[in-house]
Amino acid sequence: MMSRATDRLKVVLSHLERPTARIAAISTSAQIASHYDHHALRYTLDSDVLSPEQKLSYEENGFILIKNLVSEEDIDKFRVEFERICRREVLAPGLLVMRDVAIVKSEFVQDQKAVSKVQDFQEDPELFRYCCLPQILRYVEAFTGPNIMAMHTMLINKPPDAGKKTSRHPMHQDLHYFPFRPADRIVCAWTAMERVNRTNGCLVVLPGTHRGTLREHDYPEWEGGVNKMYHGIRDYDPQLPRVHLEMEKGDTVFFHPLLVHGSGMNQTQGFRKAISCHYASSDCYYIDVKGTTQENLEKEVQGIAARKYGLDDSFTFKDSWAMRGRLVQGERTSL
Ligand SMILES: CC(C)CC(=O)SCCNC(=O)CCNC(=O)[C@H](O)C(C)(C)COP(=O)(O)OP(=O)(O)OC[C@H]1O[C@@H](n2cnc3c(N)ncnc32)[C@H](O)[C@@H]1OP(=O)(O)O
Ligand SMILES: Nc1ncnc2c1ncn2[C@@H]1O[C@H](COP(=O)(O)OP(=O)(O)OP(=O)(O)O)[C@@H](O)[C@H]1O
Ligand SMILES: O=C(O)CCC(=O)C(=O)O
Ligand SMILES: [Fe+2]
Ligand SMILES: [Mg+2]
C-alpha cells in the first residue's frame, strides 16, 4: 500500500522524467531540489548521484543496492589485511576481534578460522581505506550531506555454522547501537567481499521498516545460544515479507539505520565475508539514552569497557562513539 505522500512523490517524479511544459518550468537543479523538498523527500538529499528512481526506492524501501561499486583489487587487499590481523601480524589500536560463541570456549581453534568479525578498524590504514573510497562517499553524501563521519567499521567473517545456528544475526535495527541523531542522516554501506546468497547467509531485510520507529531489542531466545551484543527486535514476526539480498563481490548496499535486517545461517564450509561502515553527518548530535529502549545496550557496553579496559561509569556510551568516529569528508562540526 502506498502512502499519500508517496503517491504525490510519484506524480512529481513522473513529471520530472517527462519532457513536458512542467519540466521546462522547473529547469535548474536548484529548482528541482526545492521541488523535491516540498514533495516529501525525507530520507535522501539533493544530489546528482541518485536517479529519481533510486531516490524513490530508498524513500520507500530504506535501502538501495549498487552493483559492482568496489573493485576486486581493493577487496582482495582488504582480505589480505584481514588475514594479517587474524595471524596477529598487525594490531591497530582499538581493534576488536570477535569469535563465534559456538567455538569461543574451545581451546584448539586459534587461527583466522576462529574470527567471526573485526570491528573498529579506524586505526588500520589499509582497512580504513574502504571507508574513504570516493565512489562510496559520493553515495553516502546523498544521505548524510557533505560533512561525513565514519562512525563504525566492521569486517564480518561469518563462519560455517557449527550446527547450532549461532552464525545467524538476529533481525535488528542498527540505530539501537547509536546514541546520535537524527536517524535519517545516518547510513550504512555494506559491501559483499564475495558472492553472498541464502546458502552462505546473505543480508535479509524487511523493506519499508525504516519508516517505523526504533523498537525494543533483546537477546532472542535461541536454543543454541546467541553472540555477545547480537540483540534482536523483540516479538519478531517471522511471517513478515523478507527480502534476501543476494549480491556479487563488490556490490554495495546502502541502508537506513531503522531498516530491520539480519542475516541467515551460513550453511557452506566457507567464511562469508563483508566489509561495512556506518556513516553519519558530523552535524548529528549525541543523545542521552537513559530511560529509552537503548539503555540495556548502554549498560552492556559499559560492562564490557569495565572488564576489558578497567573503565568506570565516567566513560560514557557517547564517549565510546566520539572516540571511534573519524572525519572522512568536510568538517567535524558536532559529533
Ligand atoms: C550497528 C552495529 C554496531 C551492530 C553490531 O555490530 S551488532 C554486534 C555488536 N557486536 C559487538 O559489539 C562485538 C561484541 N564483542 C565484544 O565486545 C568482544 O568480542 C567480547 C564478547 C567482549 C569478547 O572479547 P574479549 O574480552 O577480547 O574475549 P575473551 O575471549 O576474553 O572473552 C571474554 C568473555 O566473553 C565471552 N565471549 C567471547 N566471545 C563471545 C561471543 N561471541 N558471544 C558470547 N560470549 C563471548 C567469553 O567466553 C568470555 O566469557 P567468560 O569466560 O568470561 O565467561
Ligand atoms: N526469532 C528470531 N528473532 C530475530 N531474528 C530471527 C529470528 N528467527 C530468525 N531470525 C532472523 O531471520 C533471518 C533469516 O533467518 P534464517 O536462518 O531463516 O535464514 P534464511 O536465509 O531464511 O534461511 P532458510 O533458507 O533456512 O530459511 C536471519 O537474520 C535470522 O537471524
Ligand atoms: O553481515 C552481517 O551478517 C550483518 C551484520 C549486521 O547487520 C551488524 O553487525 O549490524
Ligand atoms: Fe546491522
Ligand atoms: Mg529460515
Side-chain angles (χ1 to χ4, degrees):
M1 256 186 299
M2 295 284 158
S3 70
R4 270 165 59 199
T6 308
D7 279 341
R8 265 203 326 274
L9 179 62
K10 279 203 156 147
V11 171
V12 173
L13 291 172
S14 70
H15 281 297
L16 288 174
E17 282 147 34
R18 250 184 284 142
T20 61
R22 283 283 291 276
I23 200 163
I26 43 170
S27 51
T28 71
S29 64
Q31 280 172 307
I32 291 173
S34 89
H35 208 75
Y36 273 119
D37 285 341
H38 291 98
H39 291 83
L41 280 189
R42 164 175 172 184
Y43 299 101
T44 54
L45 300 172
D46 178 35
S47 84
D48 296 334
V49 68
L50 298 180
S51 69
E53 294 83 358
Q54 288 175 317
K55 284 188 186 181
L56 183 59
S57 173
Y58 191 87
E59 296 282 329
E60 269 187 16
N61 299 314
F63 67 93
I64 52 162
L65 204 163
I66 309 296
K67 306 283 296 169
N68 198 24
L69 194 63
V70 180
S71 71
E72 290 227 13
E73 195 190 345
D74 277 335
I75 289 174
D76 295 346
K77 286 181 182 164
F78 302 146
R79 179 187 279 266
V80 167
E81 182 68 2
F82 172 70
E83 286 165 359
R84 290 180 65 216
I85 289 171
C86 294
R87 291 195 301 268
R88 301 176 197 212
E89 289 169 20
V90 272
L91 189 64
L95 197 76
L96 183 66
V97 176
M98 187 168 171
R99 279 156 245 285
D100 188 88
V101 63
I103 55 164
V104 78
K105 303 272 186 195
S106 52
E107 281 155 45
F108 44 85
V109 222
Q110 29 97 333
D111 70 341
Q112 67 270 28
K113 292 203 162 64
V115 174
S116 57
K117 83 159 125 183
V118 297
Q119 273 178 217
D120 305 331
F121 53 69
Q122 65 278 353
E123 290 300 323
D124 182 307
E126 183 56 22
L127 289 185
F128 196 69
R129 219 164 45 74
Y130 168 75
C131 307
C132 305
L133 289 174
Q135 70 272 36
I136 294 211
L137 293 179
R138 246 176 96 229
Y139 281 97
V140 169
E141 184 171 356
F143 309 105
T144 61
N147 294 327
I148 309 175
M149 299 273 294
M151 296 301 287
H152 186 247
T153 55
M154 281 192 285
L155 193 155
I156 308 125
N157 188 45
K158 188 193 275 285
D161 200 276
K164 300 193 153 183
K165 299 190 178 180
T166 54
S167 66
R168 289 180 301 174
H169 198 129
M171 298 304 258
H172 65 282
Q173 297 166 304
D174 289 342
L175 194 67
H176 176 59
Y177 296 86
F178 303 147
F180 42 88
R181 300 292 186 274
D184 298 344
R185 301 284 79 84
I186 303 172
V187 71
C188 177
W190 188 101
T191 300
M193 293 177 68
E194 62 195 298
R195 171 175 296 172
V196 296
N197 55 28
R198 205 163 168 161
T199 314
N200 64 4
C202 62
L203 280 186
V204 182
V205 303
L206 305 187
T209 46
H210 67 302
R211 286 179 270 148
T213 53
L214 182 58
R215 314 233 327 240
E216 267 189 75
H217 286 64
D218 249 323
Y219 285 108
E221 285 165 20
W222 286 350
E223 276 175 34
V226 188
N227 279 304
K228 188 91 177 150
M229 305 268 280
Y230 279 35
H231 293 189
I233 52 175
R234 209 183 262 184
D235 309 319
Y236 168 63
D237 174 6
Q239 301 308 316
L240 286 171
R242 310 180 294 182
V243 172
H244 287 76
L245 296 182
E246 307 219 324
M247 296 162 67
E248 301 296 326
K249 183 174 180 179
D251 293 356
T252 300
V253 60
F254 294 89
F255 65 90
H256 189 281
L258 283 172
L259 183 76
V260 175
H261 66 285
S263 59
M265 172 158 72
N266 181 0
Q267 294 168 277
T268 70
Q269 288 312 303
F271 289 72
R272 189 230 66 186
K273 288 181 179 58
I275 186 164
S276 83
C277 180
H278 285 87
Y279 299 91
S281 163
S282 81
D283 306 329
C284 286
Y285 50 85
Y286 289 105
I287 58 159
D288 187 349
V289 301
K290 284 197 181 54
T292 74
T293 59
Q294 291 175 262
E295 198 170 353
N296 59 349
L297 197 263
E298 175 181 49
K299 290 218 168 88
E300 215 175 316
V301 170
Q302 283 183 323
I304 293 177
R307 260 196 314 121
K308 249 179 116 84
Y309 304 110
L311 295 165
D312 65 17
D313 274 7
S314 62
F315 179 78
T316 64
F317 191 28
K318 168 187 159 174
D319 293 335
S320 77
W321 286 102
M323 212 172 75
R324 278 177 283 180
R326 295 287 181 276
L327 188 72
V328 290
Q329 186 184 295
E331 273 181 80
R332 187 163 185 171
T333 52
S334 160
L335 285 184

